[in-house]
Amino acid sequence: MAIPTAVVPVSEIFELRRSVLRAGLPAETAVFPEDSDPDVFHIAAYDGSGALRACGTFFPDPLPEAAAPGGRTPAYRFRGLASDPEVRGQGYGQAVLAAGLAEIGARGVRHAWCNGRTPATGFYQRQGFTRLGEEFVLDPGGAHYVFVRELTD
C-alpha cells in the first residue's frame, strides 16, 4: 500500500517537526527562516486513518561549494525531515522524501541536498544521496554531514 503524501501549509507539520527535531526546546527553535520563502513547500505523509506520520520542508538553495566548486548550481535543499517515532522504519520518511524529490523535479530543478544528521547516513545513502565532506555540528541538532543527489527523469 502506498503511503499518502500531500503538499501542506507549515501549520500542518509544525508540531511533528518540533516534537521530533526540537524536543524539549522552545517552539521557536522549530521555526525555520525558509518557512516564509515564497518557493518553499512542505510535504506530509499520513497513515491509513489520516494521522500525520512524517514531514519535511523543501526550499531553493544552490548546491554547497563542496558539491559544485566555483558554481552556484540551482538546487532545492530540504530540512526538518521528521518521522513519528511510533512509525519510524515503516517508510513514512522515505515517502516524504520521494514526494519532495518528485516536486523538485516537477519544478525543473535537478539537484537536492541537505545537512543530514549523522545517524541518518544510511537512510540518505539508501535514497541515492552521496555524503560529502567532513562531519560538522549544528546547534541544535548535533553531528551532521552534507548529502547531495542529482535527480533524473
Side-chain angles (χ1 to χ4, degrees):
M1 178 180 103
I3 294 173
T5 61
V7 175
V8 298
V10 70
S11 59
E12 174 109 4
I13 64 160
F14 185 79
E15 183 52 31
L16 179 63
R17 178 202 286 177
R18 187 209 60 75
S19 68
V20 171
L21 301 176
R22 303 290 190 263
L25 297 174
E28 60 269 13
T29 66
V31 175
F32 300 159
E34 299 84 10
D35 286 337
S36 61
D37 185 305
D39 293 319
V40 71
F41 64 93
H42 310 278
I43 299 283
Y46 303 94
D47 67 15
S49 69
L52 176 65
R53 294 304 195 162
C55 63
T57 296
F58 300 77
F59 54 95
D61 195 6
L63 284 178
E65 181 71 20
R72 297 288 290 165
T73 302
Y76 259 72
R77 179 178 162 199
F78 59 94
R79 64 185 297 194
L81 193 61
S83 294
D84 182 332
E86 291 181 10
V87 298
R88 199 158 291 142
Q90 296 180 31
Y92 290 94
Q94 182 179 356
V96 166
L97 186 55
L101 296 177
E103 179 67 22
I104 291 167
R107 293 176 181 218
V109 177
R110 294 291 166 239
H111 294 88
W113 71 281
C114 72
N115 293 325
R117 292 179 186 215
T118 298
T121 295
F123 170 79
Y124 290 117
Q125 290 175 329
R126 286 189 301 277
Q127 307 315 309
F129 284 80
T130 300
R131 186 180 77 190
L132 298 180
E134 301 296 320
E135 185 179 61
F136 58 94
V137 175
L138 292 175
D139 183 30
H144 286 69
Y145 284 101
V146 170
F147 295 92
V148 176
R149 179 174 160 183
E150 183 172 356
L151 307 180
T152 57
D153 292 329

